[in-house]
Amino acid sequence: MKRALVLGGGGLVGIAWEMGVVAGLAEAGVDLRDADLIVGTSAGSVVGAHLAHGRDPATLEESAAARPLGSFPPDVATITAVFQLWASFGEMTQDACAQVGRLALAAKTVPEDEWLAGFAANDWPGWPEKPLLITAVDCESGAFKAFDRHSGVEIHRAVAASCAVPGMVPPVTIGGRRYTDGGVRSGTSADLAQSIEPDRVLIIAPMGSPGVESGIGEVIARQIARETGELEGAGAKVYLIQLDEAAREAVGGNLMDPARAAPAAEAARAHVRRIAAEIREWWGK
C-alpha cells in the first residue's frame, strides 16, 4: 500500500499546529515518517523536511521553531494589496500567480540573506532519501515549481522559497529566478500526491476549513475540495485533518503571531487524541 502525506500552508502558527498533529499521532502509534511521499507547502515544507529526515516527531516542537520575520517594519500597503488580490481570484491560474508574484517582488522586506539564514539554522543534511516535494511559485512567470532532491537547489533555500509569504518576506533566488510562497498556487498542492498513485493520502491543512474562512482561506477551501475529489476519482482514499473549533480559537486571526504557537500545538494534540484510533486503522502498516 502506497501512502502520501500532504502538509499545507498556514504561517508560523500553522507550523506549530502541524507539529502538534504530527506529535500527537506519533504518541498514538501513527508514525507519519512511514509515508512513501511527503508534499510540503509553505508551513508544511518546514514540518515535511524534518519528517523526511527522520526526526523524532516528539521533539519537533523544540527543533522546528517557527522562523522569525525579522525586525524590518512590515510594508502594510503592499501586504494588504497582495491579500486582496489573492482572495479575488476564483482559481489560481499561472497568470493569477504571476500577478501576486509581481507584488511580492515590489514589497519592502527584510534582506533575502536574513530570511535564508533562519532556515539554514535547521541544519538539514542536504535532501533526504525519502521522496519530498517542496512547492514554490516563480514570481515573474507565475509558473509552479515542485523542488526535490534532483532539482539542484539546497533544501533550506527551497523551504525558504516555499515559506516566502508574498508581501511579508522576500522572494528567494533559485537558479537566477525569484520564487514566492508555494501556497500562492495551492494551499496544499495535494494533487502532487498522485505522482505515486497512492492508496492513502493524509492531508493536514491549517487553512481552508469550508464554511469557516474567508479571503484566501476560502480560496484554499475550494482548492482542497477540488484536489481531494481528483485524488478520490483516481482511486485514492483521502483523510483530511483541519482545525477544529478549539484549534480555531487557539490559532486566532493572525497566523504570524508567535504567541499563538504553543496554544495551537496543544489544541492540535487534543484534537488528535480524539481521532487517533480512527487514523491508526485507516493509515495502516
Side-chain angles (χ1 to χ4, degrees), residues 258-283:
R260 295 283 185 166
E266 182 52 42
R269 285 176 178 267
H271 181 191
V272 164
R273 282 193 286 270
R274 296 193 299 272
I275 62 176
E278 179 183 354
I279 296 176
R280 186 168 56 245
E281 181 179 356
W282 177 84
W283 187 248

Side-chain angles (χ1 to χ4, degrees), residues 6-28:
V6 176
L7 299 161
L12 304 182
V13 186
I15 292 174
W17 178 80
E18 288 186 16
M19 291 189 298
V21 170
V22 170
L25 286 174
E27 290 172 359

Side-chain angles (χ1 to χ4, degrees), residues 48-282:
H50 282 282
L51 289 177
H53 275 104
R55 294 187 176 173
D56 185 353
T59 65
L60 280 185
E61 289 173 75
E62 300 174 4
S63 65
R67 299 297 106 207
L69 297 181
S71 58
F72 196 93
D75 183 352
V76 176
T78 300
I79 293 170
T80 300
V82 165
F83 282 85
Q84 287 180 343
L85 177 64
W86 192 348
S88 72
F89 294 112
E91 181 180 355
M92 293 309 296
T93 63
Q94 183 171 333
D95 179 67
C97 290
Q99 290 184 52
V100 174
R102 285 193 287 271
L103 288 180
L105 289 171
K108 298 175 182 178
T109 67
V110 298
E112 183 179 343
D113 287 348
E114 182 178 334
W115 178 243
L116 283 167
F119 292 88
N122 284 296
D123 197 29
W124 291 307
W127 284 86
E129 288 300 314
K130 168 78 68 180
L132 171 67
L133 297 177
I134 302 297
T135 69
V137 168
D138 186 307
C139 289
E140 293 185 358
S141 71
F144 176 64
K145 181 70 176 180
F147 295 105
D148 63 13
R149 66 175 181 265
H150 304 296
S151 299
V153 55
E154 296 168 300
I155 187 170
H156 79 275
R157 187 174 287 270
V159 173
S162 190
C163 292
V165 182
M168 292 187 181
V169 297
V172 173
T173 305
I174 298 175
R177 309 291 297 181
R178 305 290 304 285
Y179 288 90
T180 193
D181 197 322
V184 172
R185 182 261 190 179
S186 168
T188 57
S189 284
D191 54 324
L192 294 180
Q194 189 55 34
S195 64
I196 65 166
E197 298 182 353
D199 300 287
R200 300 282 189 275
V201 181
L202 177 60
I203 303 173
I204 302 176
M207 299 182 68
S209 298
V212 175
E213 298 191 77
S214 58
I216 64 169
E218 189 174 351
V219 174
I220 292 171
R222 292 196 299 270
Q223 293 167 337
I224 291 173
R226 184 180 67 251
E227 292 166 359
T228 297
E230 291 171 353
L231 287 165
E232 291 175 337
K237 294 184 178 180
V238 181
Y239 197 111
L240 175 62
I241 301 178
Q242 295 182 291
L243 304 182
D244 63 1
E245 185 174 350
R248 286 194 293 271
E249 183 176 346
V251 166
N254 181 4
L255 289 169
M256 293 298 179
D257 182 0
R260 295 283 185 166
E266 182 52 42
R269 285 176 178 267
H271 181 191
V272 164
R273 282 193 286 270
R274 296 193 299 272
I275 62 176
E278 179 183 354
I279 296 176
R280 186 168 56 245
E281 181 179 356
W282 177 84

